[in-house]
Each structure stands twice: as C-alpha cells, then as structure tokens.
Amino acid sequence: MNVLIYNAYVTLKSILGHAYDVMKVDAATLKTEPWESTCSLVVVPGGRDTPYCQDMHGPVNARIKAYVESGGRYLGLCAGAYYASANIEFEKGSPLEVVGSRELGFFPGTCRGTVYPGFVYNSEKGARAVAININGKTIQSYYNGGGYFVDAAQMDQVKTICTYQDKQEAAGVQCQIGKGHALLFGIHPEYNINLVDLSDNDNKEEITKELKASLPLCQEFLRQSLANLGLNVQKENTVLELTPLYLSTISGHLLKAITQKLSQNLDTNAAFVDSNDTFYVSEISQEAIHGLPDMLEKMSLVKQSEDKPPVLKILYPFLMSDEKTIHVPEKALTPMFDIKAYFEALLARRQQEWGGGAWYRFGNAMLYSQVITSTQTVLDKNYNFAQCLPSGLVCLATNQIAGRGRGRNSWVSQAGALQFSFVVRHSVKLSNAPVVFIQYLIALAIVESIRTLPGYEDVPLRLKWPNDIYADMPAGLLKVGGLLVNSSFVRDEFLLVIGCGINLNNPHPTVSINDVIQQHNPKLERLGREQVLAHALVTFEKYYMELCEKGMGSWFLDKYYKRWLHSDKLVTLTTHNDEKARIVGITSDYGMLEAVSVNDPRKRFTLQPDGNSFDMLKGLIIKKT
C-alpha cells in the first residue's frame, strides 16, 4: 500500500517507510491515476493554501473526499490543514489575507491563523517553537504560520488531540469522515529541526535548542497520532544513511577494465562528476586509510544542505593477478547480500544453458550498496558514468530511499525486497528487435526464473501488462513486483537502464513472493535474493539473445501469454470514448496491446505500453499523463 504526499516530501518515511511505499505525487497523478485502491494515506503538507486550490479544485478534491469517506485517511499539515477545513481565515485584515470556503471540508468549521505573529512566506524568519498541550503533557513543536481550529471541542465527529498551551485553542484535530479519518495539524510535528535552515531567523539558537530537546517527544506524538488512524508505524524513527557502492566482478580482467575506464574521467580528487551525482572512486584499502578528500567532504555537506545526495563512494577490491578469480569485497562490508554466492549462482545457472553459457555476460559486474538513493537514478541520470560501465552491469541495493517507478512514482523501499537496475546496450541496427519488447522480456524472465525451478512450477506468479508482476492468490490479485526501462540514444545505440523491484522477502506493502511460495507449498524452500537475481539475469539474457537473432515471435509470445492475466478479458477503453473491447494479445511488430471491439469485430485497437495504464480491478485502460 502507498502513502501519497502531494507536491512535497516530508520526513514521514522514517515512521511509515518500513510498511508503506512513501511516494511523491502531483495534482495530475491524483486526477488521472487509479490510486485509491492502493493508498493508505494522502498527505498534503505545509506550503500555500491558494496554489493547492488552483491545482486540486474540482475533480481532484472530489476524488480525495470520496476516498476518505469510503475509509481512507488524510493528513494535513499547516497549509494542508487550512486547505482541509470548511473555511479558512488567514491573516484577515492584513495584506496577506486569505478568506473563503474550501471544498474538502474535513474539519467542518474554520481554521483561523496565524496563531502567532511574524509569518513570512517562503521563509523560516517567523518560525518559532511553541508549547503544545497533549493530554496534560507539554512538548515543544515547530510552528510557522499555522492556524487553530475554531470551536473544535463543540463539534461532533471531531476530537481535539492537542492545543496551543498559551491560547487554549485546538492545534490538532482528528475528524471522522464517513468511514475514514482526517488528521489535521496547525503545527509541524513532522519537522526534524536538524534538517531545517533557520539562518534568517533571529532566534535560531533558542529555537534549535528547544526543539532538539523536544524532538523525541514530538516524533512519538506523531507516531501515536498516525497509529490511531490504523496505520502501521515504526516504533522508533529510523533514518537510513547512504553507504558506499562496492564494485565487484566475476574476473580480475573485468575489474581492471572498468576501473581503468572510470579513472580516465576522474579529477585530481579522484572524483567523477556527472549531471546528477558525484562519485569518489577508490580501492577499498586506500579509502580506509585516507578517507574522503577534504574538498569532497565539504562538497558532500553542501549537497546535503541543498537536499541533494552526498558524494557517493565507489570502492573496489584489490586487483589480484588471477584474472579468472571472482573479485568481491570482504563479506563483513556487505552483510546484507552475499556477492560471492551471487556470482557462484550465476555461473551454476549458466551451466544449464547450451555450451555451458560461456558467452553470457549480463551480471558479470555489480555495484552493490546497502543503502542508496535509487539504483535507477545512479545509472540513468548519470550518462557519462553509465557510459563507462559494461553492458550487463547490475546496480543492486538492500534499501533505496528514493526509488523510482513508472511515470511519477517514487518510494522508500521495503526491507527484504530485491531491487536492482542493469545496463543494456542495444544497437539500432537490430531493427527486428524493437526496444519496446525489453520490458516484456525482463518481466517474463523474473517470473520464469522462479516458475522453472523444480517444484516451483505452479507458484501462482503472473504478468500484468505492461510491466507488473502479480501473485494470483485465493484472496485476489496482489502486486509483488514492477519494472521500468529508461533509454537514451547516441551513436546508433540505445543505452537502456532496466529497473526491477520485487517483493521477495518483505511482507509489506502487499505480500512477499516467498510467502506466496510457502502458502502454495509449505515444503518448498524460501528463495534467496542472490539466487533469484542470478537466475533472472541468465533467463533474461537468453531471451534477449533470441530476440536479437529472431525478432519477436511465437517463441516468446507463447510463453508470455501463458503467464499473463489478460487473454480474452473485456475492458473499457477510456482512451477511445469508453469503447468496450476484448484483449487479443500483443502486436509482434511494435509490442502494442491489441484489442477488438465487442460491438464491431472489424474495429481493432492498439495501445502503447508507455502511454497507458491498466486498472484490472475496474477493467479500464487509462491514458497516462
């Protein structure tokens, strides 16, 4: 399930990220995407109420309201609380005045502010620490322009959960909305003062001191408030820090080739500066002795202060003379993933292919990090860096703090997921193998890498067009994986970055593949990430080589249709005036979904995978924006 945060990214990931995909969305997503069925909480944070009105007026507000009334949850913080009240009175009688009614109306009265003077738009100049009373206990909370909820104590279906101590007015309320709830705050209980820039505030030292002392209490208050909504919260805030990327290879020859190519692009500080990230490249033992150069240390701090990733370390093992030896860091450096076991599984799986798979190369090199921003971003948003990497290199992480999905989706990854991206160079001269089929190949490869294992043939993993993996459970279909392919083009070659996220061991947000396996047959062993990744890459490379040789045809489509969920399904094409149609397959030339009109079989429709979304529960195919 998802936590959708409109237009901003607050620090809820430390409380909810263990159990939910915490995703940034915009008004277009809330208007056009089928988000309600997979959403556990909609968050509208601080900012400005008036732009929210402009962006979400009408259909978006109607969908949010219907979602909450039917059992959903809404969290409004400062401006998000003003916005969710029936009426707003902000700085009435001043040049900043905003007065009027609002569509959501979760709080049935007026949210009036500011409570304390000195507010300045787009600044922390008027911010302060304020005393909040919670059931007789006083804590300090961050405040910057929020309101209070007028006569909240006198209203039905409204519970006051905290008050401004010196005003005795409601600073936070929980409102019953049909079957759902709205949690609204005039304060900022989600703020971590350590991450707030108070440089333009005259009282920054005093504010910082008070809020640092009160931070654990404030965070516990927010945790409990979210738990009272029925959310699964982390008992303690956990903020993951980025860890080095360890470069490992199946041979010394390959390690030497990659490090030499990277070294050609390093500056005097051993830094590889690219468009999105800066990488520090070093041999492991040398970095342990010397650490990050001072200049890069300062650069890293500046980048973090600007809410950008710090300098990322790429560390590689000492190059041994034996070119056939697997080169990996010490196991203690990568305790969450056994890189050597992965390479051994890769070689063992290749032995099952014709000729022992001696020419297979995908997966021969790996960048592994225990905590990373996004494997997809590291490869896709740093073009010059990716150009130095061999085709088939895999970037793998145990945790991602800014994972990327299809369209606008981003998330904090769940512990136990198998999440990786890899590079494929695809020549434009392969005209019989359009790149659109790559997403179909990797989706099937993941499913087949499990379902072709002895004893696992009937594990109910299925494919949803165009790029999702589902478990077909007795209780219904549950998503267990997704993928995307990003591409750039230069000099007659596509540089493809294929990203995959699979719920292998993590029970949230839906179900894990290993739990599916155990429910199917408790006698089957749970699968490890090392094994599944190795098998998936070999299976994908096998399909890819066949695609390049034969083009798309029955050799692949027969396997794909056997696993997908859509044969002969009836759908409504919102992209074609709500035409009722029956799905017949995928075109073998450009990989489009093909459907035939129910009323007129002569009418055939083809839909591009990159432009449409399939809502199976509603039987709708919707245009993505």
Side-chain angles (χ1 to χ4, degrees):
M1 299 296 283
N2 303 323
V3 172
L4 304 184
I5 302 179
Y6 166 71
N7 202 42
Y9 195 59
V10 293
T11 55
L12 290 170
K13 63 185 180 184
S14 62
I15 298 176
L16 299 172
H18 71 294
Y20 304 94
D21 288 340
V22 182
M23 302 163 58
K24 294 181 287 186
V25 296
D26 57 16
T29 300
L30 293 172
K31 182 178 180 179
T32 62
E33 298 287 339
W35 53 267
E36 291 92 338
S37 62
T38 59
C39 180
S40 293
L41 176 69
V42 171
V43 183
V44 178
R48 301 184 71 163
D49 160 86
T50 303
Y52 292 170
C53 293
Q54 295 169 351
D55 289 348
M56 297 194 287
H57 176 75
V60 176
N61 282 334
R63 288 185 67 175
I64 294 174
K65 192 168 185 176
Y67 156 75
V68 175
E69 288 175 343
S70 63
R73 308 174 184 92
Y74 175 98
L75 172 61
L77 299 159
C78 198
Y82 280 119
Y83 184 71
S85 300
N87 296 285
I88 176 176
E89 290 183 8
F90 179 80
E91 290 290 281
K92 188 175 182 180
S94 81
L96 300 179
E97 177 180 306
V98 178
V99 176
S101 60
R102 295 293 180 262
E103 291 179 331
L104 290 179
F106 293 150
F107 175 68
T110 298
C111 185
R112 181 180 295 153
T114 58
V115 179
Y116 301 95
F119 174 75
V120 179
Y121 273 120
N122 302 318
S123 170
E124 309 302 321
K125 188 176 181 63
R128 63 179 68 199
V130 298
I132 300 299
N133 185 282
I134 306 166
N135 296 325
K137 181 188 296 184
T138 300
I139 67 171
Q140 297 290 322
S141 179
Y142 188 88
Y143 172 89
N144 192 16
Y148 68 91
F149 303 93
V150 179
D151 296 330
Q154 302 173 24
M155 295 184 177
D156 294 335
Q157 307 299 316
V158 175
K159 177 183 178 182
T160 299
I161 57 176
C162 63
T163 59
Y164 296 101
Q165 189 177 55
D166 58 348
K167 306 290 184 181
Q168 295 302 305
E169 299 285 0
V173 293
Q174 181 175 327
C175 308
Q176 177 83 41
I177 313 296
K179 297 179 180 179
H181 293 88
L183 183 63
L184 311 178
F185 290 107
I187 54 175
H188 281 285
E190 85 285 7
Y191 268 30
N192 182 339
I193 192 60
N194 297 309
L195 304 176
V196 179
D197 180 8
L198 291 174
S199 57
D200 61 350
N201 192 300
D202 294 337
N203 300 310
K204 59 184 178 182
E205 289 84 5
E206 180 182 351
I207 295 171
T208 300
K209 181 180 179 180
E210 290 181 354
L211 292 180
K212 276 188 175 181
S214 192
L215 183 59
L217 294 174
C218 211
Q219 292 178 335
E220 177 56 33
F221 169 55
L222 180 58
R223 270 197 298 271
Q224 189 57 54
S225 299
L226 294 172
N228 290 341
L229 294 183
L231 292 166
N232 181 356
V233 302
Q234 187 85 300
K235 292 183 179 180
E236 294 183 1
N237 283 16
T238 303
V239 179
L240 300 175
E241 295 186 0
L242 300 182
T243 59
L245 284 151
Y246 289 100
L247 174 61
S248 304
T249 59
I250 206 164
S251 69
H253 174 76
L254 183 56
L255 179 64
K256 183 178 180 180
I258 296 173
T259 54
Q260 283 184 343
K261 200 157 190 178
L262 289 173
S263 66
Q264 295 170 6
N265 293 272
L266 302 183
D267 62 18
T268 55
N269 289 299
F272 192 127
V273 181
D274 213 328
S275 54
N276 192 79
D277 291 297
T278 297
F279 303 93
Y280 169 65
V281 183
S282 173
E283 196 247 303
I284 293 173
S285 62
Q286 292 300 308
E287 193 276 337
I289 296 171
H290 302 292
L292 198 64
D294 290 343
M295 185 174 180
L296 294 182
E297 192 75 58
K298 293 177 182 177
M299 179 191 295
S300 197
L301 292 172
V302 170
K303 286 166 70 72
Q304 287 178 286
S305 70
E306 296 173 347
D307 198 26
K308 296 177 181 178
V311 174
L312 302 178
K313 296 179 181 179
I314 295 180
L315 307 179
Y316 56 89
F318 176 74
L319 182 61
M320 295 178 284
S321 58
D322 186 353
E323 293 187 349
K324 295 183 179 180
T325 302
I326 293 173
H327 282 63
V328 299
E330 294 181 10
K331 183 68 172 67
L333 295 174
T334 62
M336 305 297 289
F337 187 83
D338 191 332
I339 302 177
K340 186 177 181 181
Y342 153 75
F343 280 128
E344 291 171 347
L346 189 72
L347 292 170
R349 175 62 183 83
R350 288 174 179 174
Q351 286 294 318
Q352 300 173 23
E353 298 303 317
W354 185 85
W359 53 89
Y360 280 60
R361 67 186 188 280
F362 289 177
N364 280 353
M366 171 179 286
L367 284 168
Y368 169 77
S369 178
Q370 188 165 318
V371 183
I372 199 173
T373 50
S374 161
T375 60
Q376 194 74 5
T377 296
V378 165
L379 297 182
D380 179 51
K381 297 300 183 181
N382 296 292
Y383 178 77
N384 293 324
F385 173 69
Q387 284 289 79
C388 296
L389 305 176
S391 191
L393 177 137
V394 181
C395 185
L396 172 75
T398 296
N399 295 98
Q400 294 185 108
I401 61 174
R404 284 174 55 201
R406 191 170 181 238
R408 301 176 179 86
N409 295 345
S410 65
W411 68 87
V412 177
S413 68
Q414 311 298 319
L418 174 60
Q419 48 224 344
F420 63 97
S421 303
F422 63 104
V423 177
V424 174
R425 289 188 166 81
H426 185 80
S427 174
V428 71
K429 297 177 182 178
L430 295 169
S431 57
N432 65 328
V435 294
V436 68
F437 287 109
I438 299 297
Q439 62 185 323
Y440 300 142
L441 264 61
I442 184 60
L444 182 62
I446 291 170
V447 170
E448 291 297 274
S449 68
I450 295 172
R451 294 195 62 168
T452 55
L453 292 171
Y456 295 76
E457 295 88 351
D458 296 324
V459 172
L461 297 180
R462 307 291 298 279
L463 297 170
K464 170 184 171 288
W465 182 86
N467 52 10
D468 289 326
I469 300 169
Y470 274 71
D472 193 356
M473 306 292 286
L477 293 169
L478 295 173
K479 184 176 177 179
V480 294
L483 55 105
L484 74 159
V485 180
N486 295 117
S487 65
S488 53
F489 182 76
V490 65
R491 293 192 296 273
D492 296 331
E493 182 180 76
F494 288 100
L495 178 64
L496 306 176
V497 178
I498 303 170
C500 306
I502 307 166
N503 298 352
L504 186 61
N505 293 314
N506 50 305
H508 302 292
T510 55
V511 67
S512 76
I513 288 177
N514 272 322
D515 286 342
V516 172
I517 291 170
Q518 293 292 295
Q519 291 179 39
H520 171 70
N521 184 350
K523 295 181 180 180
L524 293 176
E525 292 184 1
R526 298 174 71 87
L527 301 176
R529 291 188 298 160
E530 295 84 355
Q531 177 188 9
V532 173
L533 176 60
H535 285 212
L537 289 172
V538 173
T539 305
F540 170 79
E541 188 166 11
K542 177 182 178 180
Y543 292 160
Y544 178 71
M545 289 190 292
E546 200 159 358
L547 174 69
C548 294
E549 179 185 350
K550 300 178 180 178
M552 183 49 62
S554 60
W555 68 268
F556 176 80
L557 291 176
D558 289 348
K559 297 185 185 76
Y560 189 83
Y561 293 149
K562 185 178 179 180
R563 302 303 189 202
W564 85 331
L565 292 160
H566 311 305
S567 293
D568 294 324
K569 296 292 184 182
L570 297 179
V571 295
T572 299
L573 304 179
T574 64
T575 52
H576 293 78
N577 298 318
D578 291 340
E579 181 91 31
K580 303 294 182 183
R582 178 175 56 84
I583 296 175
V584 295
I586 296 172
T587 63
S588 59
D589 49 3
Y590 297 111
M592 296 185 183
L593 187 71
E594 189 171 21
V596 176
S597 171
V598 171
N599 298 322
D600 184 358
R602 294 171 299 176
K603 293 174 65 176
R604 302 180 77 86
F605 305 93
T606 54
L607 301 156
Q608 295 182 5
D610 290 339
N612 299 282
S613 177
F614 196 164
D615 185 343
M616 290 188 301
L617 296 178
K618 296 181 180 178
L620 298 175
I621 293 181
I622 303 165
K623 183 176 179 61
K624 291 183 72 72
T625 59

